[in-house]
Amino acid sequence: MYDIIIVGAGTAGLTAAIYARRASKTVLVLEEASYGGQIINTPDIENYPAAAHISGFEFATKLYEQAKELGAEIVFEKVNGIRVNGTVKEVTTDKNTYETKAVILATGSQNRKLELENEKELVGKGVSYCATCDGFFYRKKIVAVNGGGNTALEDALYLSDLAEKVYLIHRRDAFRGESSTVEKLKEKENVEFVFNSRITKLNASEKLESIEVTDNEGKIRTIEVNGLFIAIGRIPQNEIFAELVDLDDAGYIIASENCHTRTEGIYVAGDNRSKELRQLVTATADGAVAATEAVKYLSTI
Ligand code: NAP
């Protein structure tokens, strides 16, 4: 029986593990894929207080090592469900069932897809959702980035130093991401903004050859590219917890300011929580708050 099981080893989950271990609680972190979560794809973090210029990978690795050093158990298994039996919660994975007194849901979110016909088949053959992972394969080649948020802007900036040409395609005429990054992109001679446009077709034989882009007036343009980086946001993965928590229209878990869900002893932290600002700093804050609340709860049962 663990004191706290944390679902997800991203920034929020690992921060929660650090706080819970520092309160001397037994902690199991369950992670489906690899540690680090979304931040692992960010080449250069500039907005985390007192740590200007650190790569997402380095940040995540330090966090992971810190949690391990403090004694958190981190196991790579996919959580399939949680059953609440009074104060005991049963967490079932693809391999085991674990018992715990409190749970922190820190499952983050996954890449939103364009939902184009052959998008899935072309992943690894020209289509990617991670510029820092795959950008290297497009040195001196032509690439497009789709999206208007911070991820798309940062991907375009990163790729502009590698690729010969970067098209940044966005469905509106203004970016959602930070203006300081937009200014940096404007200075890049090899970056072209394609506004008011959506990608409507991926043309490929064995691998991606070009993309069809349709503007808001219906005019179609074909752009030859070797690679397409899709950065159109993320969607939460909370469906399996829907019986225990309330979800908003977009599928995020509704929680109080201190990360309580509607089920006693179950907390939520990070990008899968319904909130306004999803940043590294709010993910770490959520992790700390959720763990502290879980520790308080443990003292009452
Ligand atoms: P995001 O901020 O939600 O932006 C998604 C972008 O994709 C928006 O510009 C949106 O267009 C567009 N979009 C959504 N669905 C689309 C579709 N079906 N077709 C075409 N375009 C579509 O997502 P994100 O950039 O991944 O960022 C997620 C969160 O992480 C944000 O809060 C962001 O600030 C944060 N983040 C922070 C950093 C950092 O601080 N260094 C780095 C990366 C991400 P509209 O603008 O028209 O809605």
Side-chain angles (χ1 to χ4, degrees):
M1 168 81 76
Y2 288 92
D3 289 325
I4 303 175
I5 286 186
I6 298 165
V7 187
T11 300
L14 291 174
T15 305
I18 290 168
Y19 272 71
R21 281 303 300 149
R22 283 174 55 78
S24 303
K25 301 301 169 199
T26 54
V27 174
L28 173 67
V29 182
L30 295 167
E31 167 60 51
E32 175 183 0
S34 50
Y35 71 80
Q38 187 191 352
I39 199 62
I40 213 145
N41 299 328
T42 297
D44 185 23
I45 300 164
E46 284 189 349
N47 59 359
Y48 195 74
H53 302 296
I54 178 169
S55 77
F57 180 75
E58 193 185 348
F59 181 90
T61 303
K62 284 185 169 191
L63 203 52
Y64 174 76
E65 283 168 357
Q66 193 177 354
K68 289 277 279 187
E69 245 172 63
L70 284 165
E73 215 179 302
I74 304 175
V75 168
F76 293 90
E77 292 176 16
K78 182 181 184 324
V79 170
N80 290 330
I82 299 173
R83 232 184 49 185
V84 177
N85 199 353
T87 54
V88 178
K89 284 98 192 157
E90 234 177 57
V91 181
T92 309
T93 72
D94 47 358
K95 296 196 180 94
N96 290 299
T97 296
Y98 300 95
E99 283 188 343
T100 181
K101 296 171 196 157
V103 177
I104 297 173
L105 304 173
T107 49
S109 54
Q110 61 177 313
N111 296 314
R112 179 178 285 122
K113 312 285 186 295
L114 278 171
E115 307 295 350
L116 292 172
E117 202 190 323
N118 48 355
E119 182 177 347
K120 204 169 161 195
E121 291 74 48
L122 289 173
V123 172
K125 296 176 188 161
V127 169
S128 170
Y129 299 88
C130 176
T132 47
C133 317
D134 301 329
F136 188 73
F137 300 117
Y138 297 92
R139 270 172 308 156
K140 309 233 182 313
K141 300 211 166 152
I142 301 170
V143 298
V145 175
N146 191 202
N150 278 321
T151 304
L153 298 181
E154 289 178 11
D155 284 359
L157 196 60
Y158 175 72
L159 290 164
S160 69
D161 289 330
L162 290 170
E164 184 186 314
K165 167 103 187 172
V166 180
Y167 294 94
L168 178 52
I169 300 161
H170 181 36
R171 65 183 178 184
R172 289 189 297 121
D173 63 356
F175 293 115
R176 174 186 291 275
E178 281 180 22
S179 53
S180 60
T181 318
V182 176
E183 290 311 310
K184 284 183 195 161
L185 283 167
K186 282 182 185 164
E187 283 166 22
K188 296 280 184 175
E189 282 178 4
N190 61 342
V191 175
E192 181 179 330
F193 296 160
V194 182
F195 283 122
N196 298 314
S197 300
R198 291 168 190 268
I199 298 172
T200 40
K201 200 170 166 206
L202 306 174
N203 299 314
S205 50
E206 298 260 300
K207 52 187 181 173
L208 184 69
E209 287 166 359
S210 65
I211 52 176
E212 182 188 276
V213 175
T214 306
D215 74 14
N216 289 351
E217 274 148 24
K219 207 171 123 205
I220 293 174
R221 172 182 176 188
T222 298
I223 303 176
E224 282 184 21
V225 294
N226 305 107
L228 168 64
F229 291 86
I230 300 168
I232 57 168
R234 302 182 62 87
I235 41 178
Q237 309 161 72
N238 294 321
E239 297 78 19
I240 58 166
F241 313 122
E243 280 182 15
L244 302 169
V245 300
D246 291 323
L247 303 181
D248 69 13
D249 291 345
Y252 293 97
I253 297 173
I254 298 170
S256 65
E257 180 73 9
N258 49 8
C259 301
H260 289 232
T261 68
R262 84 166 137 79
T263 303
E264 211 181 36
I266 299 197
Y267 306 85
V268 57
D271 278 7
N272 59 337
R273 180 163 87 86
S274 182
K275 58 180 172 177
E276 281 295 312
L277 185 66
R278 290 194 175 83
Q279 300 267 294
L280 209 48
V281 75
T282 59
T284 52
D286 272 7
V289 172
T292 306
E293 291 300 307
V295 169
K296 267 196 232 165
Y297 166 73
L298 293 173
S299 69
T300 67
I301 56 171

